Amino acid sequence: MPTLQSLAAVHSTTVLDRTELAPGVLLLGVHAPNLVHVTRPGQFVMVIPPHGERAAVALGIYEASGDRASIMFFVAGPRTAELATLRPGDPLDLTGPLGNGFDLSANVGTVAIVAGGVGIASVLLPAQALVAAGAAVHLYYGARTLELLVDKDKFAENGVALHCATDDGSYGHRGYVTGLLENAVPKPDLILACGPSPMLRATARVAEKLNVPAQLSLEETFACGVGGCWGCTVPLDRRSAQAPNFPGADAGGSEIVNARICKEGPVFWAHELRWQ
Ligand SMILES: Cc1cc2nc3c(=O)[nH]c(=O)nc-3n(C[C@H](O)[C@H](O)[C@H](O)COP(=O)(O)OP(=O)(O)OC[C@H]3O[C@@H](n4cnc5c(N)ncnc54)[C@H](O)[C@@H]3O)c2cc1C
Ligand code: FES
């Protein structure tokens, strides 16, 4: 997966719309034409909580069309709680687009997108791009309850086939979404996934079993979010095209190198990760 040059900038946006998709799950549309024009599917932004007292928070770019981009977030702690107080007309600064995004360059027939919880916020753009390119796109979407399967109808409206799983069985398959992926018909040519780490690890295992290449968008708590602090690393095969180049590391060095999730990622090929 090539590491692409970032076109990130700080964008001073204005909130256009605010929707509560479920209790504690917000969708904010912002006026951000310059961000929309350079965003690739799977990239994220560092959003600056408006009171100026807290660090920026990483959020996926959910929609990007015309002059409007949107972010979707689950209120998890103080920064997302602060963002939840925003209303249309309020200013909001964000830095982006950041990270590499998904590699959609291959011509594939069937793609399985696996999303768990907040992971759904990073997979609408790749789904739209793949449908536009003529792929058959299947979304395997898992959440705790039906209420938390937020915005699933938007994917259906965009020509995506839905396969849902809930922990409590209130909708679709009862259990993990990777249980559905395991029995995917037709077998996908490519898997993309975004969600909690246990789901990503399970997706990697299923992909290996099915012998299908998988790209995983990893979760991490970011400090800077722009590659400066090396506080978000993951072990990666040194031969990966995404591996950072450390001069002099060739001679007898380890075959594993640390890659920054915020900079070289957040999307990595599953078979190139060297998770412990
Ligand atoms: C590339 C990327 C994209 C993301 N996109 C989105 C998105 O589109 N929508 C969204 O709702 N969230 C997203 N997140 C997660 C979000 O950045 C964190 O949940 C963030 O910590 C919330 O900040 P907070 O101050 O509200 O809560 P915090 O106080 O920072 O965290 C609250 C709770 O969540 C846990 N937590 C913190 N970070 C993570 C994490 N990365 N994964 C799992 N648990 C975590 C903490 O341990 C704590 O228990 C993304 C994260 C990354 C790295
Ligand atoms: S969070 Fe600082 S390098 Fe990734």
Side-chain angles (χ1 to χ4, degrees):
M1 186 180 305
T3 301
L4 301 164
Q5 195 180 348
S6 176
L7 296 165
V10 179
H11 300 269
S12 296
T13 77
T14 304
V15 176
L16 296 173
D17 51 86
R18 175 190 189 276
T19 310
E20 186 152 10
L21 298 170
V25 186
L26 276 298
L27 176 69
L28 289 184
V30 296
H31 182 255
N34 295 336
L35 175 69
V36 170
H37 296 147
V38 293
T39 291
R40 294 189 308 271
Q43 289 189 295
F44 68 94
V45 283
M46 292 298 287
V47 183
I48 300 156
H51 300 164
E53 295 158 13
R54 300 185 198 281
V57 56
L59 296 175
I61 302 170
Y62 183 52
E63 297 162 295
S65 171
D67 287 351
R68 178 182 175 275
S70 74
I71 49 176
M72 184 209 287
F73 54 92
F74 287 54
V75 176
R79 292 171 295 173
T80 41
E82 199 174 316
L83 294 176
T85 66
L86 289 167
R87 294 291 182 274
D90 286 345
L92 180 64
D93 284 357
L94 39 89
T95 305
L98 295 166
N100 60 343
F102 292 101
D103 181 351
L104 307 179
S105 59
N107 192 7
V108 282
T110 303
V111 182
I113 298 181
V114 187
V118 297
I120 197 67
S122 294
V123 299
L124 181 62
L125 291 181
Q128 288 172 330
L130 287 160
V131 169
V137 181
H138 294 255
L139 174 67
Y140 295 84
Y141 184 13
R144 290 200 305 275
T145 63
L146 168 60
E147 193 173 43
L148 293 174
L149 283 172
V150 293
D151 235 10
K152 61 180 170 46
D153 295 342
K154 183 169 284 165
F155 286 81
E157 286 159 16
N158 277 275
V160 174
L162 286 185
H163 310 266
C164 295
T166 48
D167 293 356
D168 66 354
S170 51
Y171 190 81
H173 169 75
R174 183 192 202 102
Y176 293 136
V177 69
T178 42
L180 287 174
L181 178 68
E182 221 162 357
N183 300 306
V185 180
K187 184 179 145 181
D189 305 306
L190 174 67
I191 296 171
L192 312 180
C194 187
S197 291
M199 186 206 83
L200 295 178
R201 286 172 185 258
T203 301
R205 284 192 295 274
V206 174
E208 191 178 0
K209 194 170 144 193
L210 297 177
N211 196 24
V212 174
Q215 299 176 26
L216 310 181
S217 182
L218 302 192
E219 281 206 341
E220 182 52 91
T221 304
F222 290 164
C224 72
V226 294
C229 71
W230 289 82
C232 64
T233 60
V234 65
L236 190 70
D237 189 315
R238 197 183 284 278
R239 291 163 298 185
S240 165
Q242 287 173 266
N245 187 16
F246 288 98
D250 293 346
S254 157
E255 289 177 1
I256 296 173
V257 67
N258 278 330
R260 294 161 291 186
I261 294 175
C262 72
K263 184 76 176 175
E264 283 78 43
V267 183
F268 295 93
W269 287 106
H271 65 274
E272 293 184 344
L273 289 167
R274 294 295 174 267
W275 277 330
Q276 305 303 312

PDB file of all heavy atoms in Angstrom, residues 44 57-60 72-74 76-80 118 121 219-222, ligand 1:
ATOM      1  N   PHE A  44      -8.635  10.719   8.098  1.00  0.00           N
ATOM      2  CA  PHE A  44      -9.253  11.251   9.317  1.00  0.00           C
ATOM      3  C   PHE A  44      -8.852  12.718   9.514  1.00  0.00           C
ATOM      4  O   PHE A  44      -8.003  13.247   8.787  1.00  0.00           O
ATOM      5  CB  PHE A  44      -8.866  10.400  10.531  1.00  0.00           C
ATOM      6  CG  PHE A  44      -7.408  10.489  10.915  1.00  0.00           C
ATOM      7  CD1 PHE A  44      -6.958  11.381  11.873  1.00  0.00           C
ATOM      8  CD2 PHE A  44      -6.472   9.660  10.301  1.00  0.00           C
ATOM      9  CE1 PHE A  44      -5.608  11.454  12.213  1.00  0.00           C
ATOM     10  CE2 PHE A  44      -5.120   9.720  10.645  1.00  0.00           C
ATOM     11  CZ  PHE A  44      -4.697  10.620  11.612  1.00  0.00           C
ATOM     12  N   VAL A  57      -8.910  15.733  18.873  1.00  0.00           N
ATOM     13  CA  VAL A  57      -9.359  14.333  18.904  1.00  0.00           C
ATOM     14  C   VAL A  57      -9.472  13.818  17.467  1.00  0.00           C
ATOM     15  O   VAL A  57      -9.925  14.529  16.574  1.00  0.00           O
ATOM     16  CB  VAL A  57     -10.690  14.208  19.691  1.00  0.00           C
ATOM     17  CG1 VAL A  57     -11.776  15.107  19.128  1.00  0.00           C
ATOM     18  CG2 VAL A  57     -11.167  12.768  19.754  1.00  0.00           C
ATOM     19  N   ALA A  58      -9.030  12.554  17.250  1.00  0.00           N
ATOM     20  CA  ALA A  58      -9.059  11.953  15.910  1.00  0.00           C
ATOM     21  C   ALA A  58     -10.464  11.463  15.593  1.00  0.00           C
ATOM     22  O   ALA A  58     -11.053  10.702  16.368  1.00  0.00           O
ATOM     23  CB  ALA A  58      -8.078  10.787  15.853  1.00  0.00           C
ATOM     24  N   LEU A  59     -10.983  11.870  14.439  1.00  0.00           N
ATOM     25  CA  LEU A  59     -12.288  11.385  13.969  1.00  0.00           C
ATOM     26  C   LEU A  59     -12.209  11.115  12.469  1.00  0.00           C
ATOM     27  O   LEU A  59     -11.578  11.890  11.726  1.00  0.00           O
ATOM     28  CB  LEU A  59     -13.402  12.410  14.247  1.00  0.00           C
ATOM     29  CG  LEU A  59     -13.703  12.729  15.717  1.00  0.00           C
ATOM     30  CD1 LEU A  59     -14.739  13.834  15.812  1.00  0.00           C
ATOM     31  CD2 LEU A  59     -14.158  11.496  16.494  1.00  0.00           C
ATOM     32  N   GLY A  60     -12.843  10.050  12.026  1.00  0.00           N
ATOM     33  CA  GLY A  60     -12.873   9.739  10.600  1.00  0.00           C
ATOM     34  C   GLY A  60     -13.677  10.769   9.832  1.00  0.00           C
ATOM     35  O   GLY A  60     -14.547  11.447  10.387  1.00  0.00           O
ATOM     36  N   MET A  72     -18.790  11.787  12.361  1.00  0.00           N
ATOM     37  CA  MET A  72     -19.759  11.079  13.192  1.00  0.00           C
ATOM     38  C   MET A  72     -19.006  10.586  14.422  1.00  0.00           C
ATOM     39  O   MET A  72     -17.920  10.024  14.290  1.00  0.00           O
ATOM     40  CB  MET A  72     -20.342   9.884  12.442  1.00  0.00           C
ATOM     41  CG  MET A  72     -21.431   9.172  13.238  1.00  0.00           C
ATOM     42  SD  MET A  72     -21.538   7.452  12.844  1.00  0.00           S
ATOM     43  CE  MET A  72     -22.271   7.498  11.241  1.00  0.00           C
ATOM     44  N   PHE A  73     -19.547  10.813  15.608  1.00  0.00           N
ATOM     45  CA  PHE A  73     -18.805  10.367  16.791  1.00  0.00           C
ATOM     46  C   PHE A  73     -19.735   9.871  17.884  1.00  0.00           C
ATOM     47  O   PHE A  73     -20.885  10.271  17.996  1.00  0.00           O
ATOM     48  CB  PHE A  73     -17.890  11.486  17.330  1.00  0.00           C
ATOM     49  CG  PHE A  73     -18.596  12.779  17.604  1.00  0.00           C
ATOM     50  CD1 PHE A  73     -19.123  13.056  18.858  1.00  0.00           C
ATOM     51  CD2 PHE A  73     -18.730  13.714  16.591  1.00  0.00           C
ATOM     52  CE1 PHE A  73     -19.777  14.248  19.106  1.00  0.00           C
ATOM     53  CE2 PHE A  73     -19.387  14.919  16.831  1.00  0.00           C
ATOM     54  CZ  PHE A  73     -19.908  15.185  18.088  1.00  0.00           C
ATOM     55  N   PHE A  74     -19.181   8.949  18.641  1.00  0.00           N
ATOM     56  CA  PHE A  74     -19.831   8.425  19.832  1.00  0.00           C
ATOM     57  C   PHE A  74     -19.270   9.218  21.012  1.00  0.00           C
ATOM     58  O   PHE A  74     -18.045   9.379  21.107  1.00  0.00           O
ATOM     59  CB  PHE A  74     -19.510   6.937  20.010  1.00  0.00           C
ATOM     60  CG  PHE A  74     -20.219   6.040  19.032  1.00  0.00           C
ATOM     61  CD1 PHE A  74     -20.128   6.263  17.660  1.00  0.00           C
ATOM     62  CD2 PHE A  74     -20.971   4.965  19.471  1.00  0.00           C
ATOM     63  CE1 PHE A  74     -20.779   5.433  16.752  1.00  0.00           C
ATOM     64  CE2 PHE A  74     -21.631   4.121  18.580  1.00  0.00           C
ATOM     65  CZ  PHE A  74     -21.532   4.358  17.208  1.00  0.00           C
ATOM     66  N   ALA A  76     -17.605   9.535  23.991  1.00  0.00           N
ATOM     67  CA  ALA A  76     -16.832   8.562  24.766  1.00  0.00           C
ATOM     68  C   ALA A  76     -16.189   9.195  25.984  1.00  0.00           C
ATOM     69  O   ALA A  76     -15.887   8.514  26.964  1.00  0.00           O
ATOM     70  CB  ALA A  76     -15.751   7.952  23.866  1.00  0.00           C
ATOM     71  N   GLY A  77     -15.940  10.493  25.947  1.00  0.00           N
ATOM     72  CA  GLY A  77     -15.242  11.185  27.026  1.00  0.00           C
ATOM     73  C   GLY A  77     -15.359  12.681  26.836  1.00  0.00           C
ATOM     74  O   GLY A  77     -16.220  13.159  26.092  1.00  0.00           O
ATOM     75  N   PRO A  78     -14.473  13.437  27.486  1.00  0.00           N
ATOM     76  CA  PRO A  78     -14.657  14.895  27.536  1.00  0.00           C
ATOM     77  C   PRO A  78     -14.592  15.605  26.182  1.00  0.00           C
ATOM     78  O   PRO A  78     -15.341  16.560  25.957  1.00  0.00           O
ATOM     79  CB  PRO A  78     -13.509  15.371  28.440  1.00  0.00           C
ATOM     80  CG  PRO A  78     -12.620  14.206  28.666  1.00  0.00           C
ATOM     81  CD  PRO A  78     -13.384  12.964  28.347  1.00  0.00           C
ATOM     82  N   ARG A  79     -13.758  15.131  25.261  1.00  0.00           N
ATOM     83  CA  ARG A  79     -13.627  15.881  24.003  1.00  0.00           C
ATOM     84  C   ARG A  79     -14.843  15.673  23.099  1.00  0.00           C
ATOM     85  O   ARG A  79     -15.377  16.619  22.525  1.00  0.00           O
ATOM     86  CB  ARG A  79     -12.323  15.485  23.300  1.00  0.00           C
ATOM     87  CG  ARG A  79     -11.107  15.968  24.084  1.00  0.00           C
ATOM     88  CD  ARG A  79      -9.832  15.424  23.537  1.00  0.00           C
ATOM     89  NE  ARG A  79      -9.758  13.974  23.671  1.00  0.00           N
ATOM     90  CZ  ARG A  79      -8.808  13.215  23.155  1.00  0.00           C
ATOM     91  NH1 ARG A  79      -7.849  13.779  22.432  1.00  0.00           N
ATOM     92  NH2 ARG A  79      -8.798  11.903  23.344  1.00  0.00           N
ATOM     93  N   THR A  80     -15.271  14.425  22.976  1.00  0.00           N
ATOM     94  CA  THR A  80     -16.467  14.191  22.160  1.00  0.00           C
ATOM     95  C   THR A  80     -17.712  14.790  22.841  1.00  0.00           C
ATOM     96  O   THR A  80     -18.624  15.244  22.150  1.00  0.00           O
ATOM     97  CB  THR A  80     -16.639  12.684  21.889  1.00  0.00           C
ATOM     98  OG1 THR A  80     -16.344  11.954  23.074  1.00  0.00           O
ATOM     99  CG2 THR A  80     -15.711  12.222  20.775  1.00  0.00           C
ATOM    100  N   VAL A 118     -17.903   2.545  16.310  1.00  0.00           N
ATOM    101  CA  VAL A 118     -17.538   3.821  15.686  1.00  0.00           C
ATOM    102  C   VAL A 118     -16.810   3.635  14.358  1.00  0.00           C
ATOM    103  O   VAL A 118     -16.668   4.581  13.584  1.00  0.00           O
ATOM    104  CB  VAL A 118     -16.647   4.692  16.606  1.00  0.00           C
ATOM    105  CG1 VAL A 118     -17.357   5.075  17.871  1.00  0.00           C
ATOM    106  CG2 VAL A 118     -15.321   4.028  16.911  1.00  0.00           C
ATOM    107  N   ALA A 121     -17.895   5.117  10.985  1.00  0.00           N
ATOM    108  CA  ALA A 121     -17.661   6.511  10.579  1.00  0.00           C
ATOM    109  C   ALA A 121     -16.559   6.640   9.527  1.00  0.00           C
ATOM    110  O   ALA A 121     -16.428   7.693   8.912  1.00  0.00           O
ATOM    111  CB  ALA A 121     -17.298   7.354  11.807  1.00  0.00           C
ATOM    112  N   GLU A 219      -7.080   1.352  15.390  1.00  0.00           N
ATOM    113  CA  GLU A 219      -7.474   2.268  16.456  1.00  0.00           C
ATOM    114  C   GLU A 219      -6.297   2.545  17.351  1.00  0.00           C
ATOM    115  O   GLU A 219      -5.521   1.638  17.654  1.00  0.00           O
ATOM    116  CB  GLU A 219      -8.544   1.609  17.324  1.00  0.00           C
ATOM    117  CG  GLU A 219      -9.916   1.638  16.742  1.00  0.00           C
ATOM    118  CD  GLU A 219     -10.957   1.573  17.839  1.00  0.00           C
ATOM    119  OE1 GLU A 219     -10.607   1.149  18.959  1.00  0.00           O
ATOM    120  OE2 GLU A 219     -12.106   1.931  17.576  1.00  0.00           O
ATOM    121  N   GLU A 220      -6.173   3.761  17.804  1.00  0.00           N
ATOM    122  CA  GLU A 220      -5.136   4.101  18.776  1.00  0.00           C
ATOM    123  C   GLU A 220      -5.534   5.445  19.390  1.00  0.00           C
ATOM    124  O   GLU A 220      -6.305   6.193  18.793  1.00  0.00           O
ATOM    125  CB  GLU A 220      -3.774   4.202  18.053  1.00  0.00           C
ATOM    126  CG  GLU A 220      -2.581   4.505  18.909  1.00  0.00           C
ATOM    127  CD  GLU A 220      -2.445   3.579  20.108  1.00  0.00           C
ATOM    128  OE1 GLU A 220      -1.779   2.540  20.001  1.00  0.00           O
ATOM    129  OE2 GLU A 220      -2.998   3.931  21.155  1.00  0.00           O
ATOM    130  N   THR A 221      -5.038   5.713  20.579  1.00  0.00           N
ATOM    131  CA  THR A 221      -5.240   7.043  21.138  1.00  0.00           C
ATOM    132  C   THR A 221      -4.095   7.918  20.645  1.00  0.00           C
ATOM    133  O   THR A 221      -2.933   7.635  20.941  1.00  0.00           O
ATOM    134  CB  THR A 221      -5.245   6.980  22.679  1.00  0.00           C
ATOM    135  OG1 THR A 221      -6.253   6.048  23.075  1.00  0.00           O
ATOM    136  CG2 THR A 221      -5.562   8.334  23.285  1.00  0.00           C
ATOM    137  N   PHE A 222      -4.402   8.930  19.866  1.00  0.00           N
ATOM    138  CA  PHE A 222      -3.368   9.782  19.295  1.00  0.00           C
ATOM    139  C   PHE A 222      -3.048  10.944  20.232  1.00  0.00           C
ATOM    140  O   PHE A 222      -3.947  11.488  20.872  1.00  0.00           O
ATOM    141  CB  PHE A 222      -3.837  10.370  17.962  1.00  0.00           C
ATOM    142  CG  PHE A 222      -3.937   9.358  16.836  1.00  0.00           C
ATOM    143  CD1 PHE A 222      -4.655   9.667  15.692  1.00  0.00           C
ATOM    144  CD2 PHE A 222      -3.294   8.132  16.913  1.00  0.00           C
ATOM    145  CE1 PHE A 222      -4.752   8.764  14.647  1.00  0.00           C
ATOM    146  CE2 PHE A 222      -3.383   7.218  15.871  1.00  0.00           C
ATOM    147  CZ  PHE A 222      -4.121   7.531  14.729  1.00  0.00           C
TER     148      PHE A 222
HETATM  149  C1  LIG B   1      -7.823   7.294  13.132  1.00  0.00           C
HETATM  150  C2  LIG B   1      -8.942   7.356  14.151  1.00  0.00           C
HETATM  151  C3  LIG B   1     -10.218   7.678  13.736  1.00  0.00           C
HETATM  152  C4  LIG B   1     -11.249   7.733  14.663  1.00  0.00           C
HETATM  153  N1  LIG B   1     -12.485   8.044  14.216  1.00  0.00           N
HETATM  154  C5  LIG B   1     -13.504   8.127  15.086  1.00  0.00           C
HETATM  155  C6  LIG B   1     -14.795   8.486  14.614  1.00  0.00           C
HETATM  156  O1  LIG B   1     -14.997   8.759  13.429  1.00  0.00           O
HETATM  157  N2  LIG B   1     -15.798   8.555  15.533  1.00  0.00           N
HETATM  158  C7  LIG B   1     -15.586   8.287  16.870  1.00  0.00           C
HETATM  159  O2  LIG B   1     -16.538   8.353  17.652  1.00  0.00           O
HETATM  160  N3  LIG B   1     -14.368   7.955  17.347  1.00  0.00           N
HETATM  161  C8  LIG B   1     -13.320   7.873  16.483  1.00  0.00           C
HETATM  162  N4  LIG B   1     -12.077   7.564  16.946  1.00  0.00           N
HETATM  163  C9  LIG B   1     -11.870   7.329  18.391  1.00  0.00           C
HETATM  164  C10 LIG B   1     -11.745   8.669  19.154  1.00  0.00           C
HETATM  165  O3  LIG B   1     -10.629   9.396  18.656  1.00  0.00           O
HETATM  166  C11 LIG B   1     -11.520   8.353  20.652  1.00  0.00           C
HETATM  167  O4  LIG B   1     -12.625   7.669  21.163  1.00  0.00           O
HETATM  168  C12 LIG B   1     -11.235   9.595  21.489  1.00  0.00           C
HETATM  169  O5  LIG B   1     -10.402   9.194  22.536  1.00  0.00           O
HETATM  170  C13 LIG B   1     -12.456  10.263  22.090  1.00  0.00           C
HETATM  171  O6  LIG B   1     -12.009  11.355  22.899  1.00  0.00           O
HETATM  172  P1  LIG B   1     -12.733  11.739  24.277  1.00  0.00           P
HETATM  173  O7  LIG B   1     -11.943  12.825  24.938  1.00  0.00           O
HETATM  174  O8  LIG B   1     -14.159  12.037  24.001  1.00  0.00           O
HETATM  175  O9  LIG B   1     -12.671  10.434  25.120  1.00  0.00           O
HETATM  176  P2  LIG B   1     -11.388   9.878  25.929  1.00  0.00           P
HETATM  177  O10 LIG B   1     -11.453  10.360  27.327  1.00  0.00           O
HETATM  178  O11 LIG B   1     -10.149  10.110  25.141  1.00  0.00           O
HETATM  179  O12 LIG B   1     -11.715   8.327  25.874  1.00  0.00           O
HETATM  180  C14 LIG B   1     -12.917   7.810  26.440  1.00  0.00           C
HETATM  181  C15 LIG B   1     -12.814   6.316  26.526  1.00  0.00           C
HETATM  182  O13 LIG B   1     -12.533   5.734  25.235  1.00  0.00           O
HETATM  183  C16 LIG B   1     -11.315   4.962  25.300  1.00  0.00           C
HETATM  184  N5  LIG B   1     -10.593   5.243  24.062  1.00  0.00           N
HETATM  185  C17 LIG B   1      -9.853   6.327  23.766  1.00  0.00           C
HETATM  186  N6  LIG B   1      -9.361   6.245  22.513  1.00  0.00           N
HETATM  187  C18 LIG B   1      -9.803   5.080  22.012  1.00  0.00           C
HETATM  188  C19 LIG B   1      -9.649   4.442  20.761  1.00  0.00           C
HETATM  189  N7  LIG B   1      -8.951   4.969  19.767  1.00  0.00           N
HETATM  190  N8  LIG B   1     -10.236   3.264  20.597  1.00  0.00           N
HETATM  191  C20 LIG B   1     -10.971   2.699  21.571  1.00  0.00           C
HETATM  192  N9  LIG B   1     -11.145   3.271  22.781  1.00  0.00           N
HETATM  193  C21 LIG B   1     -10.581   4.435  22.988  1.00  0.00           C
HETATM  194  C22 LIG B   1     -10.573   5.470  26.498  1.00  0.00           C
HETATM  195  O14 LIG B   1      -9.756   4.452  27.029  1.00  0.00           O
HETATM  196  C23 LIG B   1     -11.700   5.842  27.436  1.00  0.00           C
HETATM  197  O15 LIG B   1     -12.173   4.713  28.110  1.00  0.00           O
HETATM  198  C24 LIG B   1     -11.014   7.481  16.048  1.00  0.00           C
HETATM  199  C25 LIG B   1      -9.729   7.176  16.464  1.00  0.00           C
HETATM  200  C26 LIG B   1      -8.705   7.100  15.530  1.00  0.00           C
HETATM  201  C27 LIG B   1      -7.320   6.774  15.993  1.00  0.00           C
END
